[in-house]
Every structure is written in C-alpha cells, then in structure tokens.
C-alpha cells in the first residue's frame, strides 16, 4: 500500500459536510467539552461514545467559538481547552517512511504530518486536525514521545524532535 493511500485510509473522518450548510443560529445549549476530553450535557458526562462521535461529526470552530451544526440549526457549545485529546500513538514504517499514528479520545486516527502538525502553546503540545479543530496531546503520550525523541543541535541549541511522514516536529529545547 502506498504511503498516501495508507494515510488517506487512516484518516477517514466521519465529519458531516457542515461547510455546505447555512442554518440559522439558534442560541447556546448546555454541552461542554472539558479539558480532559469529556463531553458533558448539563454537567453530566455523556457516556455513550456513539453519541459523542455524532456530536463531534458536526462540530465546527469559528473565530474561537465552537458550534454544533446541522442542516436545520447551529448551536453554540463551550469548550474548556480543545475538543479532542490524543490518547495513544504508535510508530509504523511504510514505504521506508516513519509514521507516527495518533489516536484521539473519540477513536479518530491521524498521522503526525504537515497536514496534522504538532504545535506548542505555552509548553503544551497540540495537534492541528481537520477544519481548524485541535487535539491536546495527553501528558502520558507526551512523556512517551520525549523518551522516544531524537536530539539535534540547531543554532547552538539542542532540541528534542520527532520525525513522521517526512517532517520533523520539535518537542522542545534541552536546557
């Protein structure tokens, strides 16, 4: 299987075609996504993973605000940090290329790549997902990455980095 085909197969997201819909804004509903990735309705955790995946399939972000969008309505929800969390990863080699496969708290799989890069905000790692959404990298995953990372010196500064899909992603500088 070619590298591009593998990445395409892994990243089949079940996201609805929200960009094709222009429903009226219907206000805010009491759905909240906690920093740990839990989805809550009126303060109670939504435990049905299928329901969380359904909501995630119509989740959009616009100018920092989060909405659930259907053909009939658009409702605002609150998100504490980011809607998703990278909870697991595995390393794979395909066509001589090293890939880091990432799994989110809702079971989506994506490849750390130029399409889904690692970004750091205030020392916290995030992965850019589709449609401008992001996933925070769970602390356990980040610690595993640090123990797996390679080091190099750039402009006299030692860095820890990961390689995936032909790209290099800096985890941080060695002090």
């Amino acid at each position: 299987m070619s590298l591009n085909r593998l990445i395409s197969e892994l990243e089949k997201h079940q996201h609805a075609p929200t960009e094709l819909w222009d429903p009226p804004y219907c206000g805010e509903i009491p759905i909240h996504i906690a920093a740990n990735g839990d989805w809550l309705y009126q303060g109670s955790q939504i435990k049905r993973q299928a329901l969380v995946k359904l909501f995630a399939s119509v989740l959009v972000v616009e100018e920092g605000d989060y909405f659930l969008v259907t053909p009939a309505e658009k409702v605002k929800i609150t998100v504490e940090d980011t809607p998703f969390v990278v909870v697991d990863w595995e390393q794979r080699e395909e066509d001589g290329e090293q890939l880091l496969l990432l799994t989110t708290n809702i079971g989506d799989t994506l490849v750390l790549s130029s399409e889904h890069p690692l970004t750091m905000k205030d020392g916290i790692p995030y992965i850019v997902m589709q449609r401008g959404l992001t996933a925070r990298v769970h602390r356990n995953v980040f610690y595993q990455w640090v123990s797996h990372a390679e080091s190099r010196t750039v402009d006299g500064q030692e860095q820890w980095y990961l390689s995936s899909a032909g790209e290099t992603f800096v985890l941080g500088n060695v002090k």
Side-chain angles (χ1 to χ4, degrees), residues 110-143:
L110 48 109
V111 175
L112 183 63
S113 63
S114 59
E115 186 177 334
H116 301 293
L118 171 73
T119 62
M120 301 294 282
K121 289 188 226 169
D122 301 322
I124 300 170
Y126 294 86
I127 302 298
V128 177
M129 298 180 64
Q130 74 283 357
R131 295 177 158 81
L133 298 169
T134 57
R136 184 178 40 77
V137 177
H138 192 280
R139 185 176 304 205
N140 289 342
V141 170
F142 182 70
Y143 288 155

Side-chain angles (χ1 to χ4, degrees), residues 12-155:
K12 281 187 179 174
H13 297 288
Q14 299 298 319
H15 201 281
T18 54
E19 68 280 358
L20 302 177
W21 305 332
D22 189 23
Y25 176 70
C26 297
E28 191 167 341
I29 61 172
I31 291 181
H32 175 77
I33 305 174
N36 68 357
D38 287 345
W39 289 57
L40 309 164
Y41 177 72
Q42 293 184 336
S44 296
Q45 183 179 356
I46 302 171
K47 295 185 179 184
R48 290 183 50 209
Q49 190 69 1
L51 187 56
V52 170
K53 284 183 156 200
L54 175 64
F55 287 147
S57 75
V58 294
L59 180 66
V60 299
V61 60
E62 296 174 1
E63 298 177 14
D65 291 322
Y66 292 87
F67 301 90
L68 300 180
V69 177
T70 71
E73 63 184 5
K74 175 180 178 180
V75 293
K76 186 175 180 181
I77 66 170
T78 59
V79 176
E80 192 170 332
D81 179 24
T82 188
F84 307 109
V85 180
V86 173
V87 295
D88 200 9
W89 70 288
E90 77 174 85
Q91 182 177 350
R92 184 182 293 180
E93 188 170 315
E94 196 69 39
D95 293 340
E97 188 90 51
Q98 180 173 313
L99 303 177
L100 297 181
L101 308 180
L102 314 178
T103 304
T104 69
N105 58 313
I106 63 165
D108 282 346
T109 300
L110 48 109
V111 175
L112 183 63
S113 63
S114 59
E115 186 177 334
H116 301 293
L118 171 73
T119 62
M120 301 294 282
K121 289 188 226 169
D122 301 322
I124 300 170
Y126 294 86
I127 302 298
V128 177
M129 298 180 64
Q130 74 283 357
R131 295 177 158 81
L133 298 169
T134 57
R136 184 178 40 77
V137 177
H138 192 280
R139 185 176 304 205
N140 289 342
V141 170
F142 182 70
Y143 288 155
Q144 291 171 26
W145 285 357
V146 168
S147 68
H148 176 77
E150 298 179 58
S151 68
R152 68 180 181 185
T153 302
V154 175
D155 296 330

